[in-house]
Amino acid sequence: MPRILIADDDRALCELLAEYLRREGFAVDVAHDGEEALARLHDAARRPDLLILDVMMPGRDGLQTLRELRMKHRLPVIMLSARGEPVDRVVGLELGADDYLAKPCLPRELLARIRAQLRRNTPGTGAGELRLGVLRLLPGERRALVEDRELSLTGAEFQLLLALAQRAGELVDKAALTRLALGRELERYDRSIDVHVSRLRHKLAEASAQAPRIDAVRGAGYVMVAGAP
């Protein structure tokens, strides 16, 4: 039974979402501030498989919590924000959120996002190794290595890197990448894939000058190109 942690200071909303998700077969815990959410991640017996994290919380807010969380943990994170401002979405994704929803959201939509993230963060079986220059991907283990040094990637980043590497040299449009990496359809004014690509570019370049690069084709999508030999 997958375990979900909901971190939101709106207690009524927490209970509503928790009840809904429990009926859908999830174990659900709730926290009402960033400190409590981070403490739950250190409890091995109740460590969540996915975190639903509100942006606006008292004390350490959601963005501060996410920044600290990403120093040690890779679990998928879905951000929630009552303001729904594009800048909040971009900042959250830049800090390592896997996906983002504006409040109020339909519980059914949140459920779909949760299931998509859990599918993409579950190690597969029998998936073959993929190499592209100095980049090596192990889909079955959800690991990526550059010159035998492991990259620290979120689930969404790994899935995006895998999708591009499997189609190296081909243009992949943003709608297809959104489906492949996030498990949902591209929304209007949605910059999620752009932000994930930006983070991936930085991590690849930081790992090696010979790592593959991701080129943008204006208005169309992205293409992965093998690095220098």
Side-chain angles (χ1 to χ4, degrees), residues 58-135:
R60 181 188 270 111
D61 66 19
L63 296 177
Q64 293 171 319
T65 301
L66 179 62
R67 183 183 291 110
E68 185 168 337
L69 177 157
R70 278 295 178 238
M71 294 179 183
K72 298 180 181 179
H73 303 283
R74 297 188 188 181
L75 84 163
V77 177
I78 299 175
M79 298 290 293
L80 299 179
S81 174
R83 295 187 300 181
E85 296 291 338
V87 66
D88 289 337
R89 180 189 297 257
V90 170
V91 171
L93 294 170
E94 285 178 341
L95 290 175
D98 293 273
D99 209 347
Y100 194 106
L101 270 175
K103 296 196 303 187
C105 63
L106 294 174
R108 185 185 299 177
E109 171 68 7
L110 179 60
L111 175 64
R113 300 287 183 100
I114 289 170
R115 285 175 170 163
Q117 288 301 324
L118 290 176
R119 282 196 303 270
R120 282 154 180 75
N121 283 272
T122 301
T125 56
E129 178 179 315
L130 175 64
R131 286 181 178 268
L132 185 63
V134 297
L135 172 66

Side-chain angles (χ1 to χ4, degrees), residues 15-37:
E15 288 308 312
L16 184 152
L17 292 178
E19 181 180 355
Y20 178 82
L21 293 174
R22 286 172 184 139
R23 290 201 305 266
E24 294 294 330
F26 296 96
V28 183
D29 295 315
V30 299
H32 301 300
D33 57 53
E35 292 284 357
E36 187 180 0

Side-chain angles (χ1 to χ4, degrees), residues 101-174:
L101 270 175
K103 296 196 303 187
C105 63
L106 294 174
R108 185 185 299 177
E109 171 68 7
L110 179 60
L111 175 64
R113 300 287 183 100
I114 289 170
R115 285 175 170 163
Q117 288 301 324
L118 290 176
R119 282 196 303 270
R120 282 154 180 75
N121 283 272
T122 301
T125 56
E129 178 179 315
L130 175 64
R131 286 181 178 268
L132 185 63
V134 297
L135 172 66
R136 184 159 63 105
L137 296 174
L138 306 171
E141 302 173 31
R142 301 194 67 76
R143 297 173 62 210
L145 302 96
V146 172
E147 295 179 348
D148 294 325
R149 294 191 298 274
E150 187 160 359
L151 296 178
S152 178
L153 302 176
T154 66
E157 289 168 354
F158 178 86
Q159 198 65 29
L160 176 59
L161 181 61
L162 178 62
L164 288 167
Q166 288 173 330
R167 299 157 181 82
E170 301 175 17
L171 173 66
V172 189
D173 64 61
K174 293 182 183 180

Side-chain angles (χ1 to χ4, degrees), residues 205-227:
E206 191 175 59
S208 171
Q210 281 72 48
R213 69 179 191 272
I214 304 172
D215 290 345
V217 179
R218 188 175 180 84
Y222 293 97
V223 58
M224 176 165 279
V225 181

